[in-house]
Amino acid sequence: MRISVQQEDFQLGEEVRAISANPKVGAVASFVGLVRDVPMTLEHYPGMTERAIAKILEEARGRWQVMDCTVIHRYGALQPNDQIVLVAVASAHRGDAFAACEFIMDYLKTQAPFWKKEHRPDGSAEWVDARVTDDAALARWGLTSDNAAASS
């Protein structure tokens, strides 16, 4: 399992190759999140953020047959089309890889301690609140923001 919270960009191909090096891996599912529309600044609490992500990965491993996982989340000043996050899950079978990847991403959106500030074209900036759709995605897994936070 690899967790990195970093300012630097990442290379998707390199990360997928690294996670699929085990000959028992039959599937790798990945998700890359990008900055939309407006520049943003992401902040986090070092140490706390990595621990929260590690708990998310352990929860996924308890639900699916996950052989390996990489989560890279960027922070700092980001521009439209910049990569923000990578979730890559290796498994023997695609169903486990897809489900675990989606679960981890849904959980990251609601539970990982990141704060996003969007910078508008008019010069104003606004902190981004959690979206109702993010909580709905988490609910698909039998979790709410409250009970997911309690297990973190």
Side-chain angles (χ1 to χ4, degrees):
M1 301 288 179
R2 173 164 129 68
I3 298 168
S4 182
V5 179
Q6 62 191 46
Q7 286 188 302
E8 309 81 36
D9 200 4
F10 53 87
Q11 296 298 316
L12 177 60
E14 290 175 19
E15 298 299 336
V16 170
R17 272 191 299 284
I19 199 171
S20 59
N22 180 339
K24 294 183 188 259
V25 169
V28 173
S30 65
F31 172 85
V32 176
L34 306 172
V35 176
R36 289 186 308 241
D37 302 328
V38 297
M40 67 171 42
T41 302
L42 279 85
E43 296 180 7
H44 75 104
Y45 285 125
M48 174 193 276
T49 304
E50 291 85 352
R51 285 189 302 275
I53 294 170
K55 288 180 181 180
I56 293 167
L57 299 186
E58 286 306 311
E59 177 75 20
R61 288 183 84 172
R63 290 173 179 238
W64 296 280
Q65 297 297 313
V66 173
M67 298 172 75
D68 202 357
C69 184
T70 295
V71 173
I72 301 173
H73 206 300
R74 296 181 63 201
Y75 67 93
L78 298 169
Q79 299 300 314
N81 295 321
D82 282 354
Q83 299 179 126
I84 301 174
V85 63
L86 166 66
V87 175
V89 178
S91 182
H93 304 284
R94 71 178 184 271
D96 286 329
F98 278 131
C101 185
E102 192 168 18
F103 171 81
I104 292 165
M105 194 59 230
D106 287 347
Y107 214 125
L108 279 172
K109 288 284 288 182
T110 58
Q111 299 305 304
F114 287 98
W115 294 270
K116 298 175 185 176
K117 183 185 284 186
E118 291 183 345
H119 302 278
R120 310 272 185 231
D122 66 5
S124 65
E126 183 176 310
W127 291 103
V128 178
D129 289 329
R131 293 179 170 86
V132 173
T133 55
D134 295 333
D135 286 333
L138 190 62
R140 291 183 308 142
W141 308 108
L143 299 170
T144 65
S145 291
D146 293 334
N147 69 17
S151 70
S152 294

